Amino acid sequence: RSFVPKYKDSWILITGGKDLKHVCRDLGFNKVLTVEDFCQHHPIVYPISQFEPIKQKFFNNEKIEAMFIVYDPLVWERSLQIITDILLTQNGVPHTRISSDQFKSSFQTVPLYVTNSDFLYTAEYDFPRYGQGAFFVCLAALFK
């Protein structure tokens, strides 16, 4: 909730489980884009995606102001790819790229927030389960 005043009317990209878009909207975010939405708008960014390109576009390559890992992503590799791509854009504008000098220094242009940094959690299964913290460690390793 503390981020709502700052990003209320800005495009934010979220990743996590199903039906998180309405949760973010209920919190007060007006422009919410999921990783899956992004893939529908830009099918070439994740070519093995099962999404049909959408005919009516609601996101017109505007700047993505922030990204949130709201819950464990359902398809890690897709979320890792799209978030990394956005981190390497010029100020969050899709299909732009930071300079090679910025790339060499792992320059980040879009803020990324993690709602739960737990690496492991326990569940009914006998072995620990990986959580958002594990996803974030993978993302950080790829970004370097």
Side-chain angles (χ1 to χ4, degrees), residues 100-120:
S100 59
D101 290 337
Q102 292 170 323
F103 182 78
K104 290 175 188 170
S105 66
S106 296
F107 185 80
Q108 180 180 339
T109 64
V110 180
L112 174 66
Y113 302 100
V114 180
T115 60
N116 180 350
S117 60
D118 288 352
F119 190 85
L120 296 172

Side-chain angles (χ1 to χ4, degrees), residues 5 12 20 25 34 63 65 69 78 104 113 129 144:
I12 63 167
L20 290 176
R25 286 198 174 132
T34 66
K63 180 179 180 178
E65 297 282 347
I69 302 170
R78 181 172 52 221
K104 290 175 188 170
Y113 302 100
R129 307 286 83 198
K144 288 182 180 187

Side-chain angles (χ1 to χ4, degrees), residues 41 54-59:
H41 280 275
I54 56 175
K55 294 179 172 109
Q56 180 76 28
K57 295 197 177 209
F58 60 90
F59 174 72

Side-chain angles (χ1 to χ4, degrees), residues 17-121:
K18 294 181 179 180
D19 302 324
L20 290 176
K21 188 188 283 190
H22 78 278
V23 172
C24 291
R25 286 198 174 132
D26 288 348
L27 287 171
F29 294 104
N30 294 321
K31 296 180 174 181
V32 181
L33 189 67
T34 66
V35 166
E36 293 76 18
D37 293 335
F38 191 84
C39 288
Q40 284 184 294
H41 280 275
H42 307 283
I44 63 170
V45 299
Y46 194 72
I48 60 173
S49 177
Q50 300 277 322
F51 298 109
E52 291 292 322
I54 56 175
K55 294 179 172 109
Q56 180 76 28
K57 295 197 177 209
F58 60 90
F59 174 72
N60 296 313
N61 288 335
E62 298 171 63
K63 180 179 180 178
I64 295 172
E65 297 282 347
M67 294 184 288
F68 293 86
I69 302 170
V70 181
Y71 195 72
D72 301 332
L74 296 176
V75 182
W76 278 35
E77 67 274 12
R78 181 172 52 221
S79 291
L80 289 168
Q81 183 68 66
I82 302 308
I83 291 171
T84 303
D85 289 348
I86 299 299
L87 287 172
L88 296 173
T89 62
Q90 290 180 4
N91 300 315
V93 178
H95 303 293
T96 64
R97 183 181 287 185
I98 59 175
S99 72
S100 59
D101 290 337
Q102 292 170 323
F103 182 78
K104 290 175 188 170
S105 66
S106 296
F107 185 80
Q108 180 180 339
T109 64
V110 180
L112 174 66
Y113 302 100
V114 180
T115 60
N116 180 350
S117 60
D118 288 352
F119 190 85
L120 296 172
Y121 66 93

